[in-house]
Amino acid sequence: MSNIKDSLGLENVGIVHRNLDVDSLIKFAIEKEGAKVSSTGALMIDTGIFTGRSPKDKFFVNQDPSNKYIAWGEINRKVSKEVYGDLLKTSKKQLSNKDIFVTDVYCGSSLDSRRAVRFITEVAWQAHFIQNMFILPTQEELANFKPEFTIYNACKTVDMAYVSHGLHSEVYVIFNVEENTAIIGGTWYAGEMKKGVFSMMNYWLPLEGKLPMHCSANIGKDGDTALFFGLSGTGKTTLSTDPNRALIGDDEHGWDDKGVFNFEGGCYAKVINLDKDSEPEIFNAIKKGAILENVVADENGVVDFTDKSKTENTRVSYPIDHIENHTPTLRGGHPKNIIFLCADAFGVLPPVAKLDKQQAMYYFLSGYTAKVAGTERGINEPIATFSSCFGEAFLPLNPTVYAELLGKKIDKHNVNVYLVNTGWTGGAYGVGKRMSIKNTRACINAILDGSIEDSEFETMSIFNLSIPKTLKGVDTEVLNPRNTWQDKSSYDETKTKLASMYIENFKKYLTLESEYDFTAAGPNL
Ligand SMILES: Nc1ncnc2c1ncn2[C@@H]1O[C@H](COP(=O)(O)OP(=O)(O)O)[C@@H](O)[C@H]1O
Ligand SMILES: C=C(OP(=O)(O)O)C(=O)O
Ligand SMILES: [Mn+2]
């Protein structure tokens, strides 16, 4: 233990709580951090001012050789080595002269592809969160653990000099690829650590020819793997949690020559309006060992899941074994089906469409959804958004790098690709309502059991999407979105509007090599 203490680069550290058992972490959180326990035994904490990620405060250090690979811009912002050095000092100072939590974990369930990551924090519930979300080393692995990446989470400090540093605010989340370190200040939101390491995996893996993916995954009784890509709020977590299919993971996976592997060891589900009947597995996962974030409960610890007074982005993290039907290996074979999820706030897209290869590439690069409230700072109602590969916020490299890898794998393994809209039906946001989870699940079941292939398909004009006319277990009238709108001319108008947004967005790929020109596979006006 003493050599760990010396290796941290901190001064006068007290006790180093390394991979402390969860019971002790819970005790710390209750006694020192104001945490409470819910009526079902989950720890309840508040994450403070930040109840979601803060993407404008995320930076990479601009240095050789990673600066040649990183796609610089609004998403991957530059910061100099000097500013990083300054803030690393600030962060280390914050973590010095006290007892700290060191949590050593793996990101990646594949022995060939995983990374050993060390988190240093002074907040007990954050150490608990890390243990929930990542993969815990065995005692033997822990004894030989050599961190390949270290995150200093100094959330209790801020960058007072952010103006002269040229940063966006007092909050900082900065990655140093060459030194294999990252620093966090000013935000307690633990999703920054989860999605931060995900961003690093998105940097490392493609350079080894492996595909990192913002998707959930599960596996059927016949051993068929399914992937569900989608931006926040589109249903990755909800729909991959399926009593009839073993969960591989709910958010981040890699795909290498052996198949699909989870990066994580736990799930991070939204609990706003959580309904016991439509999502019983997630509801029952909220027990001892889970952490509820920013929820409101009464004096008996009974949670009101409809209460959004702290945030719309209320969450629960839990280790994957809180879901009964899961794969302990956190791995699956090459996928048979890939589903692109979106939550279309315009109510234009069909609940399910089959995509050909060109369309798959087009819709993957487009990455459309309506961003739903709360997960990111400053977004309080749904707005349409295009995010390449359904996760541009986490992609340090050019989106075409990921698209090319996906395209090759789809060809090689002959994967079926579908678009599933979990968003609005019967009108746009405000008029229509969200598709029922029951209907969405039925669409997905028809894809996964192959029965969709028996349907007769029709082509939706402008988008040229193939939509089934009937589908087992799905109300027929919802399959063609135009039928669900009372005002047909309003539907046609909205459809044209959404098509133009797709077309406009895709123009950014026209400056690239013609091999990424999938324009013809998209909407045509
Ligand atoms: N038809 C639907 N399909 C999936 N989720 C739905 C649907 N209708 C409402 N929801 C809600 O939308 C949210 C989907 O979020 P989640 O599964 O956490 O998305 P992600 O994991 O992709 O961020 C959940 O709160 C879920 O209850
Ligand atoms: C944790 C997150 O993922 P998701 O909303 O996709 O579940 C996030 O975006 O911060
Ligand atoms: Mn999720």
Side-chain angles (χ1 to χ4, degrees), residues 72-351:
W72 298 111
E74 282 296 293
I75 287 165
N76 299 307
R77 293 157 181 253
K78 282 182 192 179
V79 75
S80 70
K81 265 202 300 216
E82 291 68 33
V83 168
Y84 186 81
D86 257 15
L87 289 172
L88 179 61
K89 248 186 241 157
T90 307
S91 308
K92 284 184 171 174
K93 189 167 164 228
Q94 176 61 35
L95 294 164
S96 291
N97 301 303
K98 57 183 55 132
D99 298 346
I100 50 159
F101 300 96
V102 169
T103 312
D104 288 337
V105 292
Y106 293 108
C107 181
S109 57
S110 152
L111 296 183
D112 303 331
S113 306
R114 72 182 184 185
R115 291 293 190 279
V117 185
R118 168 167 291 172
F119 293 88
I120 305 168
T121 176
E122 59 179 300
V123 178
W125 70 254
Q126 290 180 344
H128 185 352
F129 175 88
I130 294 157
Q131 291 197 24
N132 279 3
M133 295 309 301
F134 289 87
I135 298 168
L136 290 172
T138 61
Q139 282 307 319
E140 199 190 333
E141 286 170 332
L142 196 58
N144 302 306
F145 196 87
K146 289 195 182 58
E148 295 164 281
F149 197 81
T150 300
I151 296 190
Y152 294 87
N153 190 328
C155 61
K156 292 189 185 180
T157 192
V158 293
D159 180 14
M160 306 280 262
Y162 78 87
V163 178
S164 64
H165 281 154
L167 303 191
H168 167 259
S169 82
E170 71 286 358
V171 174
Y172 59 89
V173 181
I174 315 181
F175 299 84
N176 189 323
V177 174
E178 273 66 30
E179 287 179 11
N180 287 306
T181 56
I183 50 176
I184 296 176
T187 171
W188 293 50
Y189 187 66
E192 298 284 7
M193 295 188 283
K194 164 190 156 58
K195 282 298 206 306
V197 177
F198 180 51
S199 300
M200 288 307 306
M201 295 296 273
N202 281 314
Y203 179 87
W204 292 316
L205 264 52
L207 303 174
E208 301 171 4
K210 299 162 186 165
L211 175 64
M213 306 174 290
H214 189 213
C215 70
S216 59
N218 64 19
I219 183 161
K221 292 192 178 77
D222 299 335
D224 64 299
T225 299
L227 302 181
F228 305 77
F229 283 88
L231 289 158
S232 186
T234 57
K236 292 184 299 299
T237 300
T238 296
L239 301 169
S240 58
T241 310
D242 178 337
N244 298 313
R245 298 177 59 88
L247 181 65
I248 302 174
D250 83 323
D251 198 51
E252 310 169 1
H253 292 81
W255 186 356
D256 64 15
D257 289 339
K258 290 185 185 145
V260 169
F261 60 97
N262 195 353
F263 289 167
E264 306 181 283
C267 305
Y268 196 31
K270 292 177 188 65
V271 296
I272 201 70
N273 299 324
L274 180 65
D275 173 40
K276 193 175 177 219
D277 296 324
S278 22
E279 301 184 66
E281 294 79 16
I282 293 176
F283 194 90
N284 292 323
I286 305 176
K287 57 184 183 183
K288 188 173 171 200
I291 309 175
L292 281 163
E293 295 178 1
N294 304 313
V295 297
V296 176
D298 68 14
E299 66 275 14
N300 300 315
V302 176
V303 178
D304 177 0
F305 289 109
T306 66
D307 195 321
K308 359 177 144 158
S309 58
K310 292 180 190 168
T311 175
E312 178 108 25
N313 188 33
T314 53
R315 294 269 182 162
V316 61
S317 75
Y318 47 85
I320 198 161
D321 63 14
H322 281 212
I323 300 294
E324 201 180 326
N325 197 0
H326 72 279
T327 50
T329 59
L330 303 168
R331 292 197 291 265
H334 298 292
K336 181 175 177 199
N337 293 293
I338 290 180
I339 294 168
F340 294 157
L341 299 169
C342 69
D344 176 23
F346 291 97
V348 165
L349 295 179

